[in-house]
mmCIF file of all heavy atoms in Angstrom:
data_model
loop_
_atom_site.group_PDB
_atom_site.id
_atom_site.type_symbol
_atom_site.label_atom_id
_atom_site.label_comp_id
_atom_site.label_asym_id
_atom_site.label_seq_id
_atom_site.Cartn_x
_atom_site.Cartn_y
_atom_site.Cartn_z
ATOM 1 N N ARG A 143 146.457 83.202 107.206
ATOM 2 C CA ARG A 143 146.797 83.671 108.571
ATOM 3 C C ARG A 143 145.518 84.163 109.246
ATOM 4 O O ARG A 143 144.758 84.919 108.684
ATOM 5 C CB ARG A 143 147.786 84.829 108.460
ATOM 6 C CG ARG A 143 148.199 85.499 109.766
ATOM 7 C CD ARG A 143 149.351 86.425 109.549
ATOM 8 N NE ARG A 143 149.642 87.246 110.698
ATOM 9 C CZ ARG A 143 149.176 88.472 110.870
ATOM 10 N NH1 ARG A 143 148.431 89.048 109.922
ATOM 11 N NH2 ARG A 143 149.492 89.177 111.951
ATOM 12 N N THR A 144 145.295 83.674 110.471
ATOM 13 C CA THR A 144 144.066 84.071 111.210
ATOM 14 C C THR A 144 144.405 85.048 112.301
ATOM 15 O O THR A 144 145.376 84.869 113.039
ATOM 16 C CB THR A 144 143.386 82.818 111.818
ATOM 17 O OG1 THR A 144 144.378 82.077 112.564
ATOM 18 C CG2 THR A 144 142.863 81.909 110.706
ATOM 19 N N VAL A 145 143.555 86.081 112.408
ATOM 20 C CA VAL A 145 143.740 87.111 113.431
ATOM 21 C C VAL A 145 142.436 87.302 114.199
ATOM 22 O O VAL A 145 141.379 87.556 113.591
ATOM 23 C CB VAL A 145 144.158 88.473 112.782
ATOM 24 C CG1 VAL A 145 144.361 89.529 113.868
ATOM 25 C CG2 VAL A 145 145.431 88.298 111.967
ATOM 26 N N MET A 146 142.473 87.193 115.506
ATOM 27 C CA MET A 146 141.307 87.372 116.333
ATOM 28 C C MET A 146 141.179 88.842 116.728
ATOM 29 O O MET A 146 142.149 89.459 117.176
ATOM 30 C CB MET A 146 141.401 86.502 117.589
ATOM 31 C CG MET A 146 140.200 86.570 118.524
ATOM 32 S SD MET A 146 140.459 85.629 120.044
ATOM 33 C CE MET A 146 141.537 86.730 120.963
ATOM 34 N N ILE A 147 139.987 89.384 116.566
ATOM 35 C CA ILE A 147 139.712 90.776 116.903
ATOM 36 C C ILE A 147 138.829 90.791 118.157
ATOM 37 O O ILE A 147 137.788 90.149 118.201
ATOM 38 C CB ILE A 147 138.975 91.541 115.758
ATOM 39 C CG1 ILE A 147 139.733 91.358 114.443
ATOM 40 C CG2 ILE A 147 138.771 92.974 116.104
ATOM 41 C CD1 ILE A 147 141.060 92.024 114.406
ATOM 42 N N THR A 148 139.245 91.547 119.170
ATOM 43 C CA THR A 148 138.466 91.597 120.440
ATOM 44 C C THR A 148 138.645 92.917 121.123
ATOM 45 O O THR A 148 139.647 93.605 120.949
ATOM 46 C CB THR A 148 138.884 90.428 121.348
ATOM 47 O OG1 THR A 148 138.153 90.515 122.551
ATOM 48 C CG2 THR A 148 140.386 90.482 121.653
ATOM 49 N N GLY A 149 137.647 93.254 121.906
ATOM 50 C CA GLY A 149 137.749 94.443 122.749
ATOM 51 C C GLY A 149 138.309 94.141 124.110
ATOM 52 O O GLY A 149 138.451 95.028 124.961
ATOM 53 N N ASP A 150 138.663 92.856 124.366
ATOM 54 C CA ASP A 150 139.220 92.457 125.670
ATOM 55 C C ASP A 150 140.617 93.080 125.860
ATOM 56 O O ASP A 150 141.279 93.497 124.896
ATOM 57 C CB ASP A 150 139.321 90.943 125.774
ATOM 58 C CG ASP A 150 137.956 90.312 125.890
ATOM 59 O OD1 ASP A 150 137.012 90.992 126.268
ATOM 60 O OD2 ASP A 150 137.844 89.088 125.565
ATOM 61 N N ASN A 151 141.044 93.050 127.122
ATOM 62 C CA ASN A 151 142.419 93.476 127.398
ATOM 63 C C ASN A 151 143.402 92.468 126.811
ATOM 64 O O ASN A 151 143.065 91.308 126.571
ATOM 65 C CB ASN A 151 142.628 93.645 128.906
ATOM 66 C CG ASN A 151 142.453 92.342 129.656
ATOM 67 O OD1 ASN A 151 143.280 91.456 129.567
ATOM 68 N ND2 ASN A 151 141.368 92.223 130.417
ATOM 69 N N PRO A 152 144.656 92.861 126.611
ATOM 70 C CA PRO A 152 145.610 91.981 125.977
ATOM 71 C C PRO A 152 145.835 90.657 126.686
ATOM 72 O O PRO A 152 146.060 89.608 126.082
ATOM 73 C CB PRO A 152 146.905 92.816 125.989
ATOM 74 C CG PRO A 152 146.433 94.237 125.968
ATOM 75 C CD PRO A 152 145.201 94.234 126.806
ATOM 76 N N LEU A 153 145.762 90.658 128.038
ATOM 77 C CA LEU A 153 145.967 89.418 128.796
ATOM 78 C C LEU A 153 144.870 88.412 128.506
ATOM 79 O O LEU A 153 145.159 87.242 128.217
ATOM 80 C CB LEU A 153 145.966 89.768 130.324
ATOM 81 C CG LEU A 153 146.594 88.724 131.245
ATOM 82 C CD1 LEU A 153 148.060 88.510 130.897
ATOM 83 C CD2 LEU A 153 146.414 89.170 132.692
ATOM 84 N N THR A 154 143.623 88.870 128.550
ATOM 85 C CA THR A 154 142.514 87.959 128.244
ATOM 86 C C THR A 154 142.573 87.533 126.790
ATOM 87 O O THR A 154 142.324 86.358 126.453
ATOM 88 C CB THR A 154 141.161 88.669 128.548
ATOM 89 O OG1 THR A 154 141.124 89.021 129.941
ATOM 90 C CG2 THR A 154 139.994 87.749 128.240
ATOM 91 N N ALA A 155 142.852 88.457 125.908
ATOM 92 C CA ALA A 155 142.908 88.167 124.476
ATOM 93 C C ALA A 155 143.963 87.099 124.186
ATOM 94 O O ALA A 155 143.716 86.183 123.392
ATOM 95 C CB ALA A 155 143.191 89.434 123.665
ATOM 96 N N LYS A 156 145.094 87.213 124.817
ATOM 97 C CA LYS A 156 146.177 86.246 124.563
ATOM 98 C C LYS A 156 145.773 84.853 125.034
ATOM 99 O O LYS A 156 146.074 83.813 124.372
ATOM 100 C CB LYS A 156 147.488 86.663 125.270
ATOM 101 C CG LYS A 156 148.642 85.748 124.951
ATOM 102 C CD LYS A 156 149.938 86.214 125.606
ATOM 103 C CE LYS A 156 151.129 85.396 125.138
ATOM 104 N NZ LYS A 156 150.931 83.949 125.247
ATOM 105 N N ALA A 157 145.100 84.773 126.185
ATOM 106 C CA ALA A 157 144.691 83.461 126.702
ATOM 107 C C ALA A 157 143.729 82.775 125.753
ATOM 108 O O ALA A 157 143.833 81.587 125.445
ATOM 109 C CB ALA A 157 144.038 83.640 128.068
ATOM 110 N N ILE A 158 142.752 83.520 125.218
ATOM 111 C CA ILE A 158 141.768 82.966 124.272
ATOM 112 C C ILE A 158 142.478 82.619 122.971
ATOM 113 O O ILE A 158 142.204 81.545 122.379
ATOM 114 C CB ILE A 158 140.628 83.969 124.038
ATOM 115 C CG1 ILE A 158 139.844 84.194 125.325
ATOM 116 C CG2 ILE A 158 139.700 83.435 122.956
ATOM 117 C CD1 ILE A 158 139.115 82.986 125.863
ATOM 118 N N ALA A 159 143.341 83.498 122.499
ATOM 119 C CA ALA A 159 144.054 83.230 121.239
ATOM 120 C C ALA A 159 144.881 81.988 121.312
ATOM 121 O O ALA A 159 144.929 81.169 120.373
ATOM 122 C CB ALA A 159 144.893 84.439 120.874
ATOM 123 N N ASP A 160 145.577 81.786 122.432
ATOM 124 C CA ASP A 160 146.386 80.567 122.600
ATOM 125 C C ASP A 160 145.531 79.312 122.617
ATOM 126 O O ASP A 160 145.886 78.288 122.030
ATOM 127 C CB ASP A 160 147.223 80.654 123.889
ATOM 128 C CG ASP A 160 148.308 81.698 123.788
ATOM 129 O OD1 ASP A 160 148.643 82.104 122.663
ATOM 130 O OD2 ASP A 160 148.830 82.136 124.852
ATOM 131 N N GLU A 161 144.389 79.388 123.307
ATOM 132 C CA GLU A 161 143.516 78.223 123.403
ATOM 133 C C GLU A 161 142.865 77.906 122.053
ATOM 134 O O GLU A 161 142.736 76.727 121.688
ATOM 135 C CB GLU A 161 142.425 78.481 124.455
ATOM 136 C CG GLU A 161 141.529 77.279 124.676
ATOM 137 C CD GLU A 161 140.476 77.498 125.757
ATOM 138 O OE1 GLU A 161 140.522 78.556 126.417
ATOM 139 O OE2 GLU A 161 139.623 76.642 125.904
ATOM 140 N N ALA A 162 142.477 78.950 121.302
ATOM 141 C CA ALA A 162 141.818 78.732 120.006
ATOM 142 C C ALA A 162 142.791 78.341 118.923
ATOM 143 O O ALA A 162 142.423 77.624 117.966
ATOM 144 C CB ALA A 162 141.065 79.980 119.581
ATOM 145 N N GLY A 163 144.046 78.761 119.041
ATOM 146 C CA GLY A 163 145.036 78.388 118.040
ATOM 147 C C GLY A 163 145.137 79.354 116.864
ATOM 148 O O GLY A 163 145.598 78.972 115.811
ATOM 149 N N VAL A 164 144.682 80.634 117.067
ATOM 150 C CA VAL A 164 144.825 81.610 115.997
ATOM 151 C C VAL A 164 146.286 82.075 115.929
ATOM 152 O O VAL A 164 147.061 81.916 116.843
ATOM 153 C CB VAL A 164 143.928 82.831 116.224
ATOM 154 C CG1 VAL A 164 142.460 82.433 116.138
ATOM 155 C CG2 VAL A 164 144.188 83.491 117.557
ATOM 156 N N ASP A 165 146.618 82.648 114.786
ATOM 157 C CA ASP A 165 148.032 83.056 114.563
ATOM 158 C C ASP A 165 148.348 84.344 115.263
ATOM 159 O O ASP A 165 149.518 84.578 115.646
ATOM 160 C CB ASP A 165 148.282 83.191 113.077
ATOM 161 C CG ASP A 165 148.114 81.886 112.335
ATOM 162 O OD1 ASP A 165 148.688 80.882 112.786
ATOM 163 O OD2 ASP A 165 147.421 81.837 111.300
ATOM 164 N N ASP A 166 147.343 85.241 115.430
ATOM 165 C CA ASP A 166 147.635 86.533 116.024
ATOM 166 C C ASP A 166 146.336 87.079 116.590
ATOM 167 O O ASP A 166 145.240 86.543 116.337
ATOM 168 C CB ASP A 166 148.233 87.503 114.999
ATOM 169 C CG ASP A 166 148.999 88.638 115.641
ATOM 170 O OD1 ASP A 166 149.003 88.737 116.886
ATOM 171 O OD2 ASP A 166 149.643 89.394 114.880
ATOM 172 N N PHE A 167 146.411 88.174 117.352
ATOM 173 C CA PHE A 167 145.194 88.815 117.883
ATOM 174 C C PHE A 167 145.380 90.304 117.957
ATOM 175 O O PHE A 167 146.507 90.802 118.014
ATOM 176 C CB PHE A 167 144.830 88.233 119.255
ATOM 177 C CG PHE A 167 145.834 88.544 120.343
ATOM 178 C CD1 PHE A 167 145.749 89.691 121.096
ATOM 179 C CD2 PHE A 167 146.868 87.665 120.588
ATOM 180 C CE1 PHE A 167 146.651 89.987 122.091
ATOM 181 C CE2 PHE A 167 147.805 87.926 121.608
ATOM 182 C CZ PHE A 167 147.701 89.109 122.335
ATOM 183 N N LEU A 168 144.277 91.009 117.933
ATOM 184 C CA LEU A 168 144.264 92.443 118.099
ATOM 185 C C LEU A 168 143.339 92.725 119.276
ATOM 186 O O LEU A 168 142.109 92.536 119.192
ATOM 187 C CB LEU A 168 143.744 93.167 116.839
ATOM 188 C CG LEU A 168 143.629 94.693 116.914
ATOM 189 C CD1 LEU A 168 145.035 95.313 117.068
ATOM 190 C CD2 LEU A 168 142.945 95.246 115.689
ATOM 191 N N ALA A 169 143.907 93.183 120.416
ATOM 192 C CA ALA A 169 143.147 93.431 121.645
ATOM 193 C C ALA A 169 142.721 94.906 121.732
ATOM 194 O O ALA A 169 143.329 95.782 121.096
ATOM 195 C CB ALA A 169 143.967 93.023 122.834
ATOM 196 N N GLU A 170 141.664 95.121 122.539
ATOM 197 C CA GLU A 170 141.154 96.494 122.756
ATOM 198 C C GLU A 170 140.957 97.191 121.404
ATOM 199 O O GLU A 170 141.327 98.380 121.240
ATOM 200 C CB GLU A 170 142.076 97.270 123.679
ATOM 201 C CG GLU A 170 142.182 96.621 125.060
ATOM 202 C CD GLU A 170 143.150 97.323 125.980
ATOM 203 O OE1 GLU A 170 143.995 98.123 125.437
ATOM 204 O OE2 GLU A 170 143.099 97.137 127.201
ATOM 205 N N ALA A 171 140.369 96.479 120.467
ATOM 206 C CA ALA A 171 140.291 96.965 119.070
ATOM 207 C C ALA A 171 139.200 98.041 118.937
ATOM 208 O O ALA A 171 138.068 97.874 119.392
ATOM 209 C CB ALA A 171 140.009 95.816 118.133
ATOM 210 N N THR A 172 139.555 99.145 118.308
ATOM 211 C CA THR A 172 138.589 100.184 117.941
ATOM 212 C C THR A 172 138.366 100.126 116.425
ATOM 213 O O THR A 172 139.136 99.436 115.717
ATOM 214 C CB THR A 172 139.169 101.579 118.294
ATOM 215 O OG1 THR A 172 140.341 101.798 117.474
ATOM 216 C CG2 THR A 172 139.562 101.676 119.745
ATOM 217 N N PRO A 173 137.328 100.798 115.891
ATOM 218 C CA PRO A 173 137.129 100.789 114.436
ATOM 219 C C PRO A 173 138.353 101.267 113.673
ATOM 220 O O PRO A 173 138.695 100.722 112.613
ATOM 221 C CB PRO A 173 135.964 101.774 114.259
ATOM 222 C CG PRO A 173 135.201 101.673 115.537
ATOM 223 C CD PRO A 173 136.222 101.484 116.606
ATOM 224 N N GLU A 174 139.074 102.235 114.226
ATOM 225 C CA GLU A 174 140.289 102.736 113.556
ATOM 226 C C GLU A 174 141.395 101.645 113.570
ATOM 227 O O GLU A 174 142.139 101.529 112.601
ATOM 228 C CB GLU A 174 140.801 103.984 114.282
ATOM 229 C CG GLU A 174 139.870 105.185 114.136
ATOM 230 C CD GLU A 174 138.657 105.167 115.026
ATOM 231 O OE1 GLU A 174 138.645 104.320 116.005
ATOM 232 O OE2 GLU A 174 137.713 105.957 114.785
ATOM 233 N N ASP A 175 141.457 100.898 114.650
ATOM 234 C CA ASP A 175 142.469 99.838 114.750
ATOM 235 C C ASP A 175 142.217 98.757 113.684
ATOM 236 O O ASP A 175 143.156 98.259 113.055
ATOM 237 C CB ASP A 175 142.467 99.213 116.144
ATOM 238 C CG ASP A 175 142.942 100.157 117.231
ATOM 239 O OD1 ASP A 175 143.719 101.092 116.866
ATOM 240 O OD2 ASP A 175 142.541 99.998 118.384
ATOM 241 N N LYS A 176 140.934 98.364 113.530
ATOM 242 C CA LYS A 176 140.577 97.339 112.529
ATOM 243 C C LYS A 176 140.956 97.815 111.137
ATOM 244 O O LYS A 176 141.531 97.064 110.328
ATOM 245 C CB LYS A 176 139.094 97.043 112.621
ATOM 246 C CG LYS A 176 138.611 96.430 113.920
ATOM 247 C CD LYS A 176 137.088 96.251 113.904
ATOM 248 C CE LYS A 176 136.597 95.807 115.264
ATOM 249 N NZ LYS A 176 135.113 95.664 115.294
ATOM 250 N N LEU A 177 140.607 99.076 110.834
ATOM 251 C CA LEU A 177 140.870 99.601 109.513
ATOM 252 C C LEU A 177 142.406 99.663 109.253
ATOM 253 O O LEU A 177 142.860 99.308 108.175
ATOM 254 C CB LEU A 177 140.261 101.002 109.403
ATOM 255 C CG LEU A 177 140.191 101.655 108.005
ATOM 256 C CD1 LEU A 177 139.391 100.779 107.078
ATOM 257 C CD2 LEU A 177 139.600 103.046 108.098
ATOM 258 N N ALA A 178 143.131 100.087 110.268
ATOM 259 C CA ALA A 178 144.603 100.185 110.119
ATOM 260 C C ALA A 178 145.239 98.794 109.903
ATOM 261 O O ALA A 178 146.120 98.633 109.081
ATOM 262 C CB ALA A 178 145.206 100.851 111.363
ATOM 263 N N LEU A 179 144.717 97.796 110.587
ATOM 264 C CA LEU A 179 145.241 96.433 110.451
ATOM 265 C C LEU A 179 144.970 95.885 109.008
ATOM 266 O O LEU A 179 145.874 95.315 108.404
ATOM 267 C CB LEU A 179 144.603 95.498 111.462
ATOM 268 C CG LEU A 179 145.007 94.015 111.371
ATOM 269 C CD1 LEU A 179 146.511 93.853 111.543
ATOM 270 C CD2 LEU A 179 144.251 93.199 112.443
ATOM 271 N N ILE A 180 143.779 96.132 108.524
ATOM 272 C CA ILE A 180 143.439 95.688 107.160
ATOM 273 C C ILE A 180 144.357 96.358 106.159
ATOM 274 O O ILE A 180 144.899 95.699 105.228
ATOM 275 C CB ILE A 180 141.952 95.957 106.846
ATOM 276 C CG1 ILE A 180 141.049 95.067 107.731
ATOM 277 C CG2 ILE A 180 141.681 95.710 105.369
ATOM 278 C CD1 ILE A 180 139.593 95.377 107.608
ATOM 279 N N ARG A 181 144.518 97.650 106.274
ATOM 280 C CA ARG A 181 145.383 98.369 105.303
ATOM 281 C C ARG A 181 146.821 97.903 105.379
ATOM 282 O O ARG A 181 147.513 97.772 104.356
ATOM 283 C CB ARG A 181 145.305 99.864 105.595
ATOM 284 C CG ARG A 181 143.988 100.476 105.137
ATOM 285 C CD ARG A 181 143.850 101.937 105.542
ATOM 286 N NE ARG A 181 142.640 102.559 104.992
ATOM 287 C CZ ARG A 181 142.146 103.714 105.383
ATOM 288 N NH1 ARG A 181 142.784 104.404 106.356
ATOM 289 N NH2 ARG A 181 141.054 104.194 104.837
ATOM 290 N N LYS A 182 147.290 97.607 106.592
ATOM 291 C CA LYS A 182 148.659 97.115 106.728
ATOM 292 C C LYS A 182 148.826 95.785 106.027
ATOM 293 O O LYS A 182 149.840 95.563 105.349
ATOM 294 C CB LYS A 182 148.973 96.992 108.230
ATOM 295 C CG LYS A 182 150.386 96.488 108.518
ATOM 296 C CD LYS A 182 150.650 96.340 110.017
ATOM 297 C CE LYS A 182 152.015 95.760 110.284
ATOM 298 N NZ LYS A 182 152.256 95.583 111.745
ATOM 299 N N GLU A 183 147.859 94.880 106.190
ATOM 300 C CA GLU A 183 147.918 93.588 105.516
ATOM 301 C C GLU A 183 147.895 93.755 103.999
ATOM 302 O O GLU A 183 148.638 93.099 103.262
ATOM 303 C CB GLU A 183 146.737 92.707 105.957
ATOM 304 C CG GLU A 183 146.802 92.270 107.407
ATOM 305 C CD GLU A 183 147.844 91.243 107.669
ATOM 306 O OE1 GLU A 183 148.087 90.403 106.793
ATOM 307 O OE2 GLU A 183 148.472 91.246 108.765
ATOM 308 N N GLN A 184 147.006 94.666 103.519
ATOM 309 C CA GLN A 184 146.884 94.845 102.083
ATOM 310 C C GLN A 184 148.106 95.488 101.457
ATOM 311 O O GLN A 184 148.478 95.208 100.323
ATOM 312 C CB GLN A 184 145.633 95.716 101.799
ATOM 313 C CG GLN A 184 144.327 94.969 102.074
ATOM 314 C CD GLN A 184 143.115 95.841 101.977
ATOM 315 O OE1 GLN A 184 143.188 97.057 102.182
ATOM 316 N NE2 GLN A 184 141.975 95.261 101.687
ATOM 317 N N GLU A 185 148.783 96.334 102.212
ATOM 318 C CA GLU A 185 150.007 96.963 101.721
ATOM 319 C C GLU A 185 151.086 95.913 101.485
ATOM 320 O O GLU A 185 151.983 96.091 100.660
ATOM 321 C CB GLU A 185 150.505 98.018 102.725
ATOM 322 C CG GLU A 185 149.671 99.291 102.708
ATOM 323 C CD GLU A 185 150.033 100.212 103.877
ATOM 324 O OE1 GLU A 185 150.951 99.867 104.645
ATOM 325 O OE2 GLU A 185 149.402 101.292 103.989
ATOM 326 N N GLY A 186 150.977 94.808 102.190
ATOM 327 C CA GLY A 186 151.931 93.722 102.003
ATOM 328 C C GLY A 186 151.531 92.778 100.854
ATOM 329 O O GLY A 186 152.152 91.724 100.707
ATOM 330 N N GLY A 187 150.514 93.169 100.088
ATOM 331 C CA GLY A 187 150.072 92.351 98.961
ATOM 332 C C GLY A 187 149.157 91.235 99.299
ATOM 333 O O GLY A 187 148.935 90.319 98.485
ATOM 334 N N ARG A 188 148.560 91.261 100.511
ATOM 335 C CA ARG A 188 147.666 90.196 100.927
ATOM 336 C C ARG A 188 146.197 90.605 100.790
ATOM 337 O O ARG A 188 145.862 91.771 100.908
ATOM 338 C CB ARG A 188 147.964 89.791 102.401
ATOM 339 C CG ARG A 188 149.321 89.115 102.584
ATOM 340 C CD ARG A 188 149.581 88.796 104.029
ATOM 341 N NE ARG A 188 149.946 89.990 104.784
ATOM 342 C CZ ARG A 188 151.156 90.480 104.939
ATOM 343 N NH1 ARG A 188 152.176 89.847 104.367
ATOM 344 N NH2 ARG A 188 151.406 91.570 105.647
ATOM 345 N N LEU A 189 145.359 89.588 100.548
ATOM 346 C CA LEU A 189 143.919 89.814 100.501
ATOM 347 C C LEU A 189 143.321 89.497 101.872
ATOM 348 O O LEU A 189 143.706 88.540 102.500
ATOM 349 C CB LEU A 189 143.260 88.974 99.446
ATOM 350 C CG LEU A 189 143.614 89.211 98.003
ATOM 351 C CD1 LEU A 189 142.784 88.353 97.051
ATOM 352 C CD2 LEU A 189 143.452 90.660 97.619
ATOM 353 N N VAL A 190 142.386 90.351 102.327
ATOM 354 C CA VAL A 190 141.885 90.260 103.680
ATOM 355 C C VAL A 190 140.393 90.040 103.664
ATOM 356 O O VAL A 190 139.661 90.642 102.891
ATOM 357 C CB VAL A 190 142.205 91.535 104.474
ATOM 358 C CG1 VAL A 190 141.679 91.452 105.907
ATOM 359 C CG2 VAL A 190 143.699 91.815 104.491
#
């Protein structure tokens, strides 16, 4: 599963994500947001 990380607003992030073909995106991402996303994935038994 591919996730795009960006500081852009959600509208811009969605447009780029749709064009690139990634599975998901995280917009307006802060360091805390990145860390929380990784932990959430790992809690589900996935390697990140």
